[in-house]
Amino acid sequence: MRTLGWITKADFMNSDLWAPFKLDSDIEYYDDLCKKYKVLLDTATKSGADEESLKIIKKYTSKIREAIRKYYYGQISTSHAIIKNLLRDVVNNPLAVSNINSSKAFPGVSKEIQFFRARINEDVTIFKPKDMLHIPFNMRGKTGNYRFSIPGIPSLYLGNTSYACWLELGCPAEHRYNVSPVLLDGTQKILNLAVMTRKQFDVNDCNEEYVHCWLKLLCLMIATSYVIKEKERSFKSEYIISQSIMLGCKELGLDGVAYFSKRVEDEVFAFAAINIALFTNYEKGKKYSEICKHIKVDESYNFAMFKQLGDVDKKKEYDDYRVLQTGLTTKIGKYNRQFTFGETEFCKFDKFLFSTWKDKEKVKYGNAL
């Protein structure tokens, strides 16, 4: 523990390191990332970080920048290989990778982790469970360019609350917003990028290896936490590392990656907005990935319809609701207007969806196929 004393002083309270990072144009990304990495190293140095911690920060930030440059130069396979090697370095640490039920990305004590999948429609619509799966492979031409998926290779995105899904869909009107409750069977191996520079752990409960892994994940998280306002772009620099992470994780046998939503004002308001991207593997002749056999999902319910219900129906409790069992202060919104998530209609909606899921325990995994 002698080498970890610095971490108690290094809260990285410099707001330059509070994700997400917002820029106006794509061309700013690389230079701004270099500045962020310099702040990270300087903060650790001034806090008296041990030599190994400083070496990790220097190595990871250097390799990530190299991967971006290689990509810009057209050496895409080399770029991917660099990121895959960084992932290989953390894959055996439980802070970085574990089965989803024990993942540090989703703290809490409930026996299950609730997830949600949403779709928008102009009319109030009940989507069947199959409608809430990923884009089928025979329609892969519709897949887009997203943070942890590339055209032709869809990922299945879920949120840990209906609020998280609402943010990701661009905050749609209530009558357009339809949500299904989702459960995973717990066998998925997940990379944890739901980390932040404001420590989420008690240094007295961890060891040197734990802190060093946290630093490695921080370097990856920072590179994947940009939001660039420039519109009508075919290419997005801020997706270079995240998409390489997706490909590297697939090759290393992982099933997905968990991360804080980048649509919040500040990551400190994201404990009720944690996303997971589940990777899909193409199988010839199959419309859906093997991952769909490991989830169960109910039909959707419309948010506007829910808000028309009486108080008794809207206030249904669900004792296993994980988001409220983390021991963390779960606020949403902004610094000047922040609210307790547990008192929102989104929270009530989440409990309603799970408490009214008929015969949930009897529903088999893979029910949507």
Side-chain angles (χ1 to χ4, degrees), residues 3-4 6 44 48-55 208 211-212 215:
T3 60
L4 298 184
W6 71 275
D50 59 284
E51 192 59 37
E52 182 62 24
S53 292
L54 296 178
K55 188 183 299 183
E208 186 175 296
V211 171
H212 290 164
L215 288 171

Side-chain angles (χ1 to χ4, degrees), residues 2 6 108 131 191 241 256 267 290 334:
R2 179 179 58 84
W6 71 275
D131 296 327
L191 175 69
I241 301 303
E267 61 197 357
E290 179 78 15
K334 301 180 179 182

Side-chain angles (χ1 to χ4, degrees), residues 252-300:
L252 291 170
L254 305 189
D255 299 298
V257 56
Y259 61 100
F260 290 125
S261 172
K262 310 309 173 188
R263 291 181 178 265
V264 296
E265 180 181 76
D266 186 295
E267 61 197 357
V268 77
F269 298 117
F271 292 115
I274 302 173
N275 297 326
I276 183 170
L278 295 173
F279 310 138
T280 63
N281 293 313
Y282 175 74
E283 296 180 61
K284 187 176 181 180
K286 299 286 184 67
K287 293 174 64 175
Y288 296 98
S289 168
E290 179 78 15
I291 194 71
C292 296
K293 295 180 180 179
H294 298 274
I295 73 172
K296 54 182 172 180
V297 54
D298 196 18
E299 65 182 19
S300 71

Side-chain angles (χ1 to χ4, degrees), residues 311-327:
D311 287 342
V312 173
D313 290 317
K314 286 170 63 176
K315 292 183 179 179
K316 290 182 180 295
E317 290 301 316
Y318 193 74
D319 293 338
D320 283 328
Y321 189 49
R322 175 70 70 104
V323 173
L324 299 185
Q325 299 179 358
T326 63

Side-chain angles (χ1 to χ4, degrees), residues 16-72:
D16 286 344
L17 293 175
W18 298 352
F21 313 116
K22 299 178 181 179
L23 299 174
D24 291 324
S25 60
D26 191 281
I27 196 67
E28 299 176 77
Y29 171 71
Y30 181 79
D31 288 342
D32 192 82
L33 179 62
C34 292
K35 293 176 183 177
K36 293 287 187 295
Y37 282 159
K38 185 178 186 304
V39 172
L40 179 66
L41 180 60
D42 288 348
T43 302
T45 302
K46 292 175 183 177
S47 300
D50 59 284
E51 192 59 37
E52 182 62 24
S53 292
L54 296 178
K55 188 183 299 183
I56 287 169
I57 295 173
K58 291 175 184 177
K59 173 187 174 181
Y60 268 67
T61 58
S62 174
K63 287 293 183 181
I64 291 169
R65 285 178 290 160
E66 181 186 0
I68 296 169
R69 292 196 304 272
K70 293 292 185 183
Y71 196 104
Y72 285 159

Side-chain angles (χ1 to χ4, degrees), residues 118-305:
R119 291 190 62 179
I120 54 177
N121 198 58
E122 287 304 322
D123 301 316
V124 174
T125 303
I126 297 177
F127 288 101
K128 297 178 180 179
K130 180 170 283 190
D131 296 327
M132 306 307 274
L133 298 178
H134 64 79
I135 295 175
F137 291 126
N138 63 347
M139 299 174 65
R140 65 195 313 161
K142 294 185 176 182
T143 58
N145 183 31
Y146 301 107
R147 198 169 297 273
F148 289 99
S149 55
I150 59 178
I153 306 178
S155 287
L156 178 62
Y157 289 89
L158 306 173
N160 72 330
T161 64
S162 59
Y163 170 69
C165 299
W166 181 72
L167 288 176
E168 295 303 317
L169 289 176
C171 306
E174 295 172 357
H175 75 278
R176 303 182 64 214
Y177 188 51
N178 308 280
V179 186
S180 288
V182 178
L183 287 174
L184 306 178
D185 65 10
T187 61
Q188 296 74 33
K189 292 178 67 176
I190 301 298
L191 175 69
N192 172 25
L193 286 185
V195 295
M196 62 176 68
T197 51
R198 285 162 284 191
K199 305 185 301 295
Q200 295 165 257
F201 57 84
D202 184 345
V203 70
N204 294 316
D205 295 331
C206 62
N207 55 34
E208 186 175 296
E209 182 181 3
Y210 192 102
V211 171
H212 290 164
C213 182
W214 170 68
L215 288 171
K216 296 171 183 177
L217 295 174
L218 276 183
C219 294
L220 292 167
M221 179 279 290
I222 290 171
T224 60
S225 295
Y226 277 79
V227 177
I228 298 178
K229 299 176 184 177
E230 183 180 347
K231 299 184 181 301
E232 299 181 0
R233 290 180 295 148
S234 299
F235 170 71
K236 297 187 176 183
S237 289
E238 71 272 30
Y239 288 0
I240 292 174
I241 301 303
S242 59
Q243 291 177 350
S244 286
I245 287 173
M246 181 270 288
L247 294 171
C249 283
K250 285 175 61 119
E251 292 171 12
L252 291 170
L254 305 189
D255 299 298
V257 56
Y259 61 100
F260 290 125
S261 172
K262 310 309 173 188
R263 291 181 178 265
V264 296
E265 180 181 76
D266 186 295
E267 61 197 357
V268 77
F269 298 117
F271 292 115
I274 302 173
N275 297 326
I276 183 170
L278 295 173
F279 310 138
T280 63
N281 293 313
Y282 175 74
E283 296 180 61
K284 187 176 181 180
K286 299 286 184 67
K287 293 174 64 175
Y288 296 98
S289 168
E290 179 78 15
I291 194 71
C292 296
K293 295 180 180 179
H294 298 274
I295 73 172
K296 54 182 172 180
V297 54
D298 196 18
E299 65 182 19
S300 71
Y301 203 85
N302 182 267
F303 191 42
M305 185 64 196

